[in-house]
Amino acid sequence: MISSIALNSCQQDEITFENQFEPNHFVQECIAEFNTMQLEYEAQGLTNCQKSDNPFWGLTKLPEWSRAYVREISLGHAAIIPLSYSEFLFTKFGIKEYPVAIEQLSYLMMYRNSNGKMAIEVVIVTPSDEYINSTNSIYTPFKGSIKVYDWQFNYIKGYLFSNDGNIYTLSPPQIIYQVEKQKSNWGGSKYEQEDCVITDWYSYPGYTTTLNSNCTYMFTEVDCSSTGTGGNSDGTGNTGSGGGETGGSTNPGDYPTGGGNYGDPPFNPNTTTDSKTPCKGDPLVVMKICPSQTSGILGGTYGWTRKKNATTPKFHDGFDLYAEPNTPVYSPWDNGIVVAPLVNNLPTNYYDETSYGNYVWVEYTVNGQKIRMRFAHLNTVNVSLGDRVSHSTMLGLSGKTGNANKKDVEPHVHIQVKYYDSALGKWVESRQNGSYTLYPKCNPDLYLPSNFDYKTGVQTKSPCDSTKPEP
């Protein structure tokens, strides 16, 4: 009798284990389904032949599977995968009109719908100006729009998170290629008479932090609510009518409103709070090589990677990571100490062709090698000389100070390294006596465990899933 009970108990344990949901296994399923979808599109010629009317259609996007995570939704579970885009498309938010890249506002969401079929959706989250301008906390309930597309950017459904606390369904977005100028008798745009979110999109061949940015207007999206509501602001209501959804019954609350920020609260340029820290060894949450004007992605890496002209190479003494101004920059490693020099007195619009702007040097020992890392072109430095820093310490906020404050320079953090040569008893750096020498140990990429695609600049492997030993 005792043996029988023990056997039944073991069998029950095995059943429970087999039915347990495994997030990593689900992400692998999503990768397989996504690859199958891509092959089907290629076989049918959809990628090149059936161009959508939506101008987003032409954007080249890439899922960053290494940063995927799984969350519960009304249908079970969904994988949220950040997206990287090869094109720099921006919109503006807030009183100061901060430009924000589309990859900060969008993500890929995959889940099995009520029919058991894998849904593959591109989600764009657009906070309203009223929300951005009025919020004092990143935990304020989201106001704005969520639009859902298929991978080809055909519109599926959308929700408007209104100021009245309700969620309304959205009609398909109206695309305008000339900014709406028509005014009513009372002075407002005709769209302001409806419950609409108006979003202007721009191309920034040369980013600038000033209010009147030199940019190229691309198009305007007008998203207006249709009949029916999507339920309460907690996302527990029905999806309403006019959503255009097929084969599922997701709630508005199923969609994270943090875009590429892993489901955190929406982007807010008026706050520097960041509830997400990078992986060990990464100074930024989103790791992407920033291209140079003349040499593309390769020009953002260390060495003789740039060009003075068609025949003359130019040395780049660091590694550039793309970062919107005021992005938190973290200490990538533990047991660091802030060392001299440190510059933190320059205004955000400061320009000097020979200057690194505001910057901080931090000394570490990485894999047995003593190094000093400079983080440059910052808007502000948040640490002081002699401070001990760890991986969780925010060193400052990114910017474009120094020689980066030009129209043709993308916003980035310049990372530079010098190493201590114990045999020589001195620090070695690439620039000495006005000339440059390539030293492999001065290559910052040697101390950044992330892997990158050197054609697109996107991160292909994160240290969060790396087997490389930590220092």
Side-chain angles (χ1 to χ4, degrees), residues 396-433:
L397 298 176
S398 67
K400 291 195 66 177
T401 54
N403 62 12
N405 194 22
K406 295 190 291 187
K407 291 190 299 182
D408 56 1
V409 176
E410 301 288 352
H412 66 275
V413 178
H414 175 87
I415 301 175
Q416 185 181 353
V417 166
K418 54 185 174 181
Y419 73 96
Y420 187 77
D421 189 321
S422 56
L424 298 177
K426 67 176 185 178
W427 291 95
V428 177
E429 54 187 319
S430 298
R431 182 177 181 178
Q432 297 181 19
N433 300 321

Side-chain angles (χ1 to χ4, degrees), residues 363-408:
E363 185 174 312
Y364 303 98
T365 298
V366 181
N367 295 327
Q369 175 63 58
K370 184 185 291 187
I371 64 169
R372 289 181 176 177
M373 301 185 83
R374 170 159 45 189
F375 303 88
H377 305 312
L378 307 180
N379 272 346
T380 58
V381 176
N382 287 29
V383 291
S384 302
L385 293 178
D387 283 357
R388 296 282 179 175
V389 297
S390 63
H391 168 248
S392 60
T393 304
M394 188 171 75
L395 302 176
L397 298 176
S398 67
K400 291 195 66 177
T401 54
N403 62 12
N405 194 22
K406 295 190 291 187
K407 291 190 299 182
D408 56 1

Side-chain angles (χ1 to χ4, degrees), residues 205-221:
Y207 176 89
T208 175
T209 57
T210 59
L211 179 63
N212 297 318
S213 300
N214 182 16
C215 58
T216 302
Y217 166 78
M218 299 296 287
F219 61 94
T220 297
E221 270 190 303

Side-chain angles (χ1 to χ4, degrees), residues 91-97 126-137 140-145 160-165 186 188-189 191-199 223 266-270:
T91 187
K92 297 179 181 179
F93 286 137
I95 295 174
K96 296 184 179 180
E97 293 190 327
T126 309
S128 67
D129 267 349
E130 291 78 12
Y131 170 78
I132 291 295
N133 292 337
S134 63
T135 183
N136 293 316
S137 168
T140 299
F142 175 71
K143 307 297 179 188
S145 67
L160 176 67
F161 289 67
S162 180
N163 291 329
D164 62 12
W186 56 276
S189 167
Y191 297 111
E192 293 175 2
Q193 301 176 44
E194 305 175 45
D195 205 354
C196 301
V197 175
I198 303 174
T199 308
D223 303 290
F267 173 85
N268 181 359
N270 298 322

Side-chain angles (χ1 to χ4, degrees), residues 114 283 294 354:
S114 55
T294 60
T354 62

Side-chain angles (χ1 to χ4, degrees), residues 350-363:
Y350 176 79
Y351 171 76
D352 184 336
E353 183 62 34
T354 62
S355 171
Y356 290 98
N358 293 316
Y359 63 84
V360 56
W361 282 99
V362 183
E363 185 174 312

